[in-house]
């Protein structure tokens, strides 16, 4: 994969929050999603269990973390005021996508579960961890995604592409809708940031090779590595 950090969403603040959660043992693994966390590809994979929206929301309320960066302390959501915090959303399973993990957990849990299988780790681990949790919820491995459900993408995957939030005027311009049209009623808008709409990102080098122009970021800065289109 040809990966690119999305500097608009991922910063040193994110790293500090993740490392504190790992160092305390509150999390064993934190994923940097290549899609918006609530996008279709993400929810199909990361919300395979719990199997219903009600159970999934209950699971998130119980295990979600907010790591306070103001004084080095953190805690579980619902525990009071956290000030400046990094949010981590729990999920059941495993992905080979970009992530941080506790080395002890990788040695003692991940590698033995993979065993002698010659495959991507997620091909073995995702199903094993889901089945283990279904058998006994206490077996949850404390796996998390960075951010809340409206956050991401944190990593741009320039080979497989993905979804991100982008200005509607850019991603859904008349020029781009000639390539891919999505009715206004089907567009997903950001719940708290007016003007941003869920969009498909692609490698700008591929787009430019076809005679296209480069995209701009939400704050007007030129973003020379990805270009956004309507999300179908």
């Amino acid at each position: 994969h040809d990966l690119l950090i999305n500097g608009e969403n991922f910063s040193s603040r994110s790293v500090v929050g993740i490392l504190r959660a790992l160092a305390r043992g509150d999390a064993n693994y934190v994923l940097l999603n290549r899609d918006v966390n609530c996008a279709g590809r993400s929810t199909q994979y990361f919300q395979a269990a719990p199997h219903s929206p009600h159970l999934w929301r209950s699971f998130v309320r119980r295990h979600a973390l907010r790591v306070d960066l103001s004084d080095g302390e953190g805690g579980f959501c619902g525990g009071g005021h956290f000030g400046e915090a990094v949010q981590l959303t729990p999920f059941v399973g495993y992905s080979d996508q970009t992530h941080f993990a506790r080395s002890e957990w990788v040695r003692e849990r991940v590698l033995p579960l993979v065993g002698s299988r010659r495959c991507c780790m997620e091909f073995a681990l995702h199903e094993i961890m889901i089945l283990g949790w279904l058998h006994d919820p206490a077996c949850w491995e404390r796996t998390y995604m960075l951010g809340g459900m409206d956050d991401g993408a944190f990593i741009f995957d320039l080979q497989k592409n993905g979804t991100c939030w982008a200005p509607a005027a850019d991603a859904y311009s008349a020029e781009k809708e000639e390539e891919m049209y999505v009715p206004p009623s089907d567009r997903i808008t950001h719940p708290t940031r007016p003007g941003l709409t869920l969009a498909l990102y692609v490698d700008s080098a591929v787009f430019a090779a076809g005679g296209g122009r480069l995209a701009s970021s939400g704050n007007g800065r030129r973003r020379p590595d990805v270009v956004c289109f309507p999300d179908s």
Side-chain angles (χ1 to χ4, degrees):
H1 294 260
D2 188 4
L3 304 177
L4 174 71
I5 291 175
N6 183 356
E8 294 180 8
N9 292 336
F10 185 72
S11 65
S12 58
R13 176 178 171 273
S14 309
V15 175
V16 171
I18 291 170
L19 293 180
R20 285 181 177 174
L22 295 174
R24 290 198 305 261
D26 293 337
N28 285 322
Y29 165 108
V30 179
L31 170 84
L32 309 184
N33 203 347
R34 66 187 177 201
D35 292 309
V36 175
N37 288 341
C38 66
R41 180 167 65 177
S42 292
T43 56
Q44 289 173 13
Y45 188 86
F46 295 113
Q47 293 182 24
H51 63 279
S52 73
H54 171 72
L55 292 175
W56 184 83
R57 286 192 293 268
S58 177
F59 173 79
V60 170
R61 284 195 297 269
R62 180 179 180 184
H63 296 293
L65 289 172
R66 289 175 64 87
V67 184
D68 192 340
L69 302 186
S70 61
D71 59 6
E73 298 297 326
F76 292 98
C77 290
H81 176 69
F82 292 90
E84 289 294 320
V86 171
Q87 185 172 353
L88 303 179
T89 298
F91 73 95
V92 180
Y94 184 92
S95 172
D96 289 333
Q97 286 191 57
T98 306
H99 61 267
F100 290 75
R102 297 178 65 242
S103 59
E104 180 182 19
W105 177 73
V106 173
R107 288 194 303 269
E108 296 181 1
R109 294 291 298 157
V110 173
L111 296 181
L113 287 174
V114 174
S116 61
R117 298 177 181 89
R118 296 185 177 183
C119 64
C120 296
M121 291 192 294
E122 66 181 25
F123 292 170
L125 292 175
H126 190 59
E127 181 178 0
I128 290 173
M129 290 185 180
I130 289 175
L131 291 175
W133 180 86
L134 290 172
H135 178 73
D136 180 7
C139 292
W140 179 55
E141 296 283 350
R142 299 198 298 278
T143 48
Y144 286 87
M145 296 186 291
L146 175 62
M149 292 306 295
D150 298 328
D151 295 324
F154 300 99
I155 297 289
F156 292 125
D157 187 330
L158 301 182
Q159 288 180 288
K160 289 198 170 183
N161 307 320
T163 54
C164 67
W165 296 111
D170 174 19
Y172 290 81
S173 66
E175 175 190 6
K176 291 174 182 175
E177 286 195 314
E178 290 180 0
E179 301 289 336
M180 185 183 303
Y181 179 73
V182 176
S185 60
D186 292 341
R187 300 173 189 176
I188 299 174
T189 57
H190 196 286
T192 62
R193 299 172 63 188
L196 293 186
T197 305
L198 198 66
L200 173 71
Y201 68 79
V202 300
D203 187 347
S204 63
V206 175
F207 181 60
R213 59 180 177 80
L214 297 179
S216 297
S217 66
N219 55 17
R221 295 197 306 266
R222 185 169 179 246
R223 188 168 62 199
D225 299 293
V226 299
V227 63
C228 296
F229 283 90
D231 176 47
S232 59

